[in-house]
């Protein structure tokens, strides 16, 4: 009712959890490591929207504004995915190393739930996704005392154009896109290499 509506809400108190399990093979030479892998990827995300302010001219939605202390919407999204890819590492200049992981996500399953607490209604969502990508790159340095430090970045994209949402008994086609990107720092300590046992 009331035509076009656009609203703003505060997002907080969310949750993110993910896990990856891979198996693969690696070829090594002096200063270079190349490998390929296949595995499983799990990602769970919860987003909470608090309050609601109408930014268009619809007089029937969020007019007057809803306080930012009130939880209005919770979106839970779960992805289960298959991934295949390759990784490489190049050691140069003494202790420097550069690494790249590139994974293709050929198939992903979406299970999601959109809960509107104030209306109220619940909209289950499900679907599949094809041909997405996960990329991770880093640059690090290995000190002679066994300590290694690195800085890197990652980008993940999973896009479902074949999803369906059931709202009050009516099924609708939806497109759901999930993207993650950011940087990271890491540090490790190497105790030494195991020596072969001699009999």
């Amino acid at each position: 009712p009331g035509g076009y509506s656009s609203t703003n809400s505060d997002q907080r108190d969310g949750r993110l959890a993910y896990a990856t399990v891979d198996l693969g093979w690696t070829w090594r030479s002096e200063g270079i490591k190349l490998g390929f892998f296949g595995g499983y990827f799990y990602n769970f995300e919860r987003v909470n929207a608090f309050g609601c302010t109408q930014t268009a001219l619809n007089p029937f939605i969020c007019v007057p504004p809803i306080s930012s202390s009130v939880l209005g919407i919770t979106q839970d999204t779960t992805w289960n995915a298959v991934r295949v890819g390759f990784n490489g590492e190049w050691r140069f200049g003494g202790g420097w190393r550069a690494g790249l992981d590139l994974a293709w996500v050929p198939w992903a399953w979406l299970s999601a739930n959109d809960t509107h607490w104030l209306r109220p209604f619940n909209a289950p969502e499900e679907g599949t996704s094809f041909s997405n990508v996960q990329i991770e790159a880093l640059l690090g340095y290995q000190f002679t005392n066994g300590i290694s430090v690195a800085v890197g970045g990652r980008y993940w994209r999973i896009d479902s154009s074949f999803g369906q949402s059931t709202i009050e008994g009516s099924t609708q086609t939806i497109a759901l896109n999930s993207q993650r990107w950011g940087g990271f720092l890491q540090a490790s300590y190497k105790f030494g290499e195991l020596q072969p046992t001699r009999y």
Side-chain angles (χ1 to χ4, degrees):
Y4 175 74
S5 173
S6 177
T7 62
N8 287 341
S9 299
D10 293 343
Q11 191 273 313
R12 63 177 186 271
D13 300 335
R15 181 185 172 195
L16 174 67
Y18 60 89
T20 301
V21 179
D22 292 322
L23 294 175
W25 177 87
T26 299
W27 173 83
R28 301 172 185 266
S29 70
E30 187 66 30
I32 297 177
K33 181 176 71 173
L34 297 173
F36 63 87
F37 59 85
Y40 161 77
F41 174 71
Y42 166 85
N43 187 91
F44 171 82
E45 182 177 346
R46 172 172 293 165
V47 177
N48 293 314
F50 287 82
C52 183
T53 301
Q54 179 64 232
T55 58
L57 299 176
N58 192 312
F60 300 103
I61 299 177
C62 298
V63 179
I66 298 172
S67 170
S68 60
S69 63
V70 178
L71 175 60
I73 301 173
T74 297
Q75 172 76 28
D76 289 332
T77 305
T78 301
W79 291 99
N80 291 277
V82 173
R83 65 186 223 131
V84 293
F86 74 90
N87 53 32
E89 185 177 273
W90 175 41
R91 294 184 178 271
F92 61 98
W96 289 98
R97 63 186 177 97
L100 174 68
D101 282 8
L102 177 60
W104 174 46
V105 182
W107 193 278
W109 297 265
L110 166 67
S111 176
N113 212 49
D114 184 16
T115 303
H116 291 238
W117 299 104
L118 301 179
R119 299 178 67 169
F121 77 83
N122 178 270
E125 301 166 355
E126 59 183 14
T128 54
S129 176
F130 304 95
S131 299
N132 296 285
V133 67
Q134 296 177 327
I135 303 172
E136 184 172 307
L138 64 82
L139 176 66
Y141 187 81
Q142 176 74 55
F143 295 93
T144 55
N145 60 2
I147 296 176
S148 175
V149 295
V151 59
R154 63 168 58 103
Y155 172 76
W156 297 345
R157 175 186 173 89
I158 305 179
D159 185 3
S160 173
S161 300
F162 304 94
Q164 291 185 333
S165 179
T166 303
I167 302 176
E168 297 177 347
S170 175
T171 300
Q172 303 178 9
T173 301
I174 63 169
L176 193 149
N177 175 274
S178 178
Q179 296 187 68
R180 286 280 172 183
W181 62 88
F184 62 87
L185 298 172
Q186 70 178 36
S188 62
Y189 180 78
K190 185 177 181 180
F191 290 94
E193 297 183 2
L194 294 175
Q195 299 299 318
T197 301
R198 298 183 181 274
Y199 295 96

